[in-house]
Amino acid sequence: QVQLVESGGGLVQAGGSLRLSCATSGHTFSHYAMGWFRQAPGKEREFVVAISWSGENTYYADSVKGRFTISRDRAKNTVYLQLNNLKPEDTAVYYCAAGSRPFGLMPRGTGEIGFWGEGTQVTVSS
């Protein structure tokens, strides 16, 4: 059974930090580029960050550049997202996502995703 399970979300004050984790199983996700997307109430799901299958390359949305950091532990089949200096506008459900094929390019849009997690809520209070 293919699974992407996010954890680490919660409520934090503006300026605070959180670390999200995405544990994968049921598939060889170590060969997939991975990413994080988010969806705020009433808005479309948007790209946040992606990491290549090797972990050597990353790509960030301008809105989070310098504040968020993606990483992966291929041996543990886990992807992480460190969120620093959080702002109220970062409030959203954060989704872990895998690309559509092994050794593919980093996904940057929802149409490039092959697998989704269920999401974890991040709420930033002002």
Side-chain angles (χ1 to χ4, degrees), residues 50-72:
I51 188 167
S52 61
W53 68 267
S54 67
E56 293 180 353
N57 297 296
T58 57
Y59 183 77
Y60 293 86
D62 288 342
S63 58
V64 306
K65 201 173 295 183
R67 300 188 298 121
F68 292 6
T69 304
I70 190 172
S71 61
R72 69 187 302 168

Side-chain angles (χ1 to χ4, degrees), residues 44-124:
E44 293 186 352
R45 193 170 298 188
E46 65 174 4
F47 169 79
V48 176
V49 60
I51 188 167
S52 61
W53 68 267
S54 67
E56 293 180 353
N57 297 296
T58 57
Y59 183 77
Y60 293 86
D62 288 342
S63 58
V64 306
K65 201 173 295 183
R67 300 188 298 121
F68 292 6
T69 304
I70 190 172
S71 61
R72 69 187 302 168
D73 186 330
R74 297 177 67 216
K76 294 183 178 180
N77 294 315
T78 302
V79 179
Y80 304 97
L81 183 62
Q82 179 68 39
L83 293 73
N84 294 331
N85 191 21
L86 281 160
K87 304 176 181 181
E89 52 263 43
D90 294 319
T91 295
V93 177
Y94 282 71
Y95 295 91
C96 178
S100 58
R101 61 181 178 88
F103 308 111
L105 298 176
M106 290 183 285
R108 302 184 185 186
T110 57
E112 301 168 49
I113 300 302
F115 305 90
W116 290 101
E118 293 295 317
T120 185
Q121 176 71 46
V122 172
T123 302
V124 184

